[in-house]
Amino acid sequence: MRLSALLVASGLLVLSNWTATAFAQPDPDASECAAGQAAMDRGENDEAIRLFRDCLDHADLDMSQEIAAYAALGAALLAEREFQEALEAYNFAFAIVETRGARVIEPTLYRNRGIARSELGQPERALEDLQTAAAAAPNDTLTQITLGVVYQALDRDADAVVAFDNVVRLEPDWIGAWINRAGALLDVGLTRAAVEDARRAVELAPEDGSTLNMLCWTLIKDDRAETALPLCEQAVAAEPDTGAIVHSYATALEAVGRLDEARSLFRRAWRLNPDDPEILHDYERTNNP
């Protein structure tokens, strides 16, 4: 089971300094864009989206302002998980630059378009954008996280470990850094190292269901299901409606010979997350022999 995920708050999808500067001038035509930026700063993304669209529809913007408006609209749409519309907004921004024979140099635009492409199941295209962003801004956490996720989608597991190494270096007090790297380490067969990363995540957040589940799962993979079992139980208590967590608990129970208990939990995990292929496989294997 791939437990790594893009565990990032939408607040990390910030506007670049260049984008903010484009609306800082006292230009009445760009007032709705400036109001949109202010709405994003307050976390009011729906309102920001409306204002940026109104600005693009009605304001007489210069090239820099128009590019910035599309980029800001894209960031607001990403924060609302409207990935297709976000990609379209970023493509408009890139097209404005490229039709003038120029090239986008702002790494935030490449990073955010890469995120949209990744979420839409376009890992090859996402990788192009993210590598460009990483070359220009190697210490941007969100770029490195998304690179790791994309490398995993492309089965480039060793590269994913390197990307998540960077995330741990940049954000050592964030549980997502350790959880993501633990998952990537499992993918390359470094189980003991994955357990240690999962332990570090639990130290940072000992009551969090995701950290407990990762330690539970890595211990199962390290053939220590007996040790894993109480952690799996705690994870389910913390997040009883998360299919992956219920599945981990069921896997631990089966590994210690408690199949009757595991069977009902595999069924429950499948009901919670019927689209996960591993959960589906284990449900069918144990409930439909």
Side-chain angles (χ1 to χ4, degrees), residues 136-261:
N139 291 328
D140 181 75
T141 301
L142 189 47
T143 299
Q144 296 296 331
I145 295 166
T146 317
L147 265 175
V149 171
V150 168
Y151 281 132
Q152 287 180 313
L154 294 170
D155 293 323
R156 294 175 55 175
D157 297 324
D159 289 322
V161 172
V162 172
F164 291 131
D165 281 344
N166 290 329
V167 178
V168 168
R169 172 178 59 82
L170 293 165
E171 299 287 344
D173 296 326
W174 177 51
I175 61 171
W178 300 96
I179 290 174
N180 280 323
R181 193 172 70 173
L185 288 166
L186 283 180
D187 290 337
V188 297
L190 296 175
T191 308
R192 290 295 174 95
V195 170
E196 292 309 308
D197 272 12
R199 287 194 193 282
R200 178 59 177 150
V202 170
E203 288 172 3
L204 290 169
E207 298 180 1
D208 183 88
S210 296
T211 64
L212 291 164
N213 183 54
M214 179 54 86
L215 184 52
C216 154
W217 187 253
T218 55
L219 286 166
I220 292 169
K221 289 298 185 181
D222 199 40
D223 297 322
R224 288 188 274 171
E226 286 279 3
T227 303
L229 197 57
L231 294 159
C232 304
E233 190 171 4
Q234 290 174 52
V236 170
E239 294 190 33
D241 296 325
T242 300
I245 291 177
V246 175
H247 176 266
S248 297
Y249 186 27
T251 303
L253 287 168
E254 183 181 19
V256 298
R258 294 162 61 180
L259 181 58
D260 287 344
E261 295 171 76

Side-chain angles (χ1 to χ4, degrees), residues 12-96:
L12 286 179
L13 290 166
V14 295
L15 297 178
S16 66
N17 291 333
W18 161 77
T19 305
T21 301
F23 305 134
Q25 305 304 317
D27 183 346
D29 283 335
S31 60
E32 286 177 314
C33 283
Q37 180 183 314
M40 276 198 76
D41 292 342
R42 296 191 301 270
E44 299 171 2
N45 296 310
D46 286 339
E47 178 68 3
I49 290 166
R50 183 188 68 79
L51 288 164
F52 285 127
R53 283 176 169 157
D54 286 347
C55 180
L56 285 161
D57 286 343
H58 304 122
D60 183 16
L61 305 175
D62 63 29
M63 184 182 76
S64 178
Q65 289 174 328
E66 188 176 14
I67 296 166
Y70 276 116
L73 173 62
L77 288 163
L78 278 184
E80 290 300 299
R81 303 188 64 80
E82 298 290 344
F83 299 117
Q84 183 60 50
E85 292 182 71
L87 178 58
E88 291 167 3
Y90 283 110
N91 283 341
F92 272 117
F94 276 80
I96 293 166

Side-chain angles (χ1 to χ4, degrees), residues 18 67 90 93-98 102-110 113 132:
W18 161 77
I67 296 166
Y90 283 110
F94 276 80
I96 293 166
V97 177
E98 290 163 2
R103 183 177 181 276
V104 173
I105 60 172
E106 170 57 45
T108 306
L109 271 67
Y110 286 100
R113 189 172 70 170
T132 301

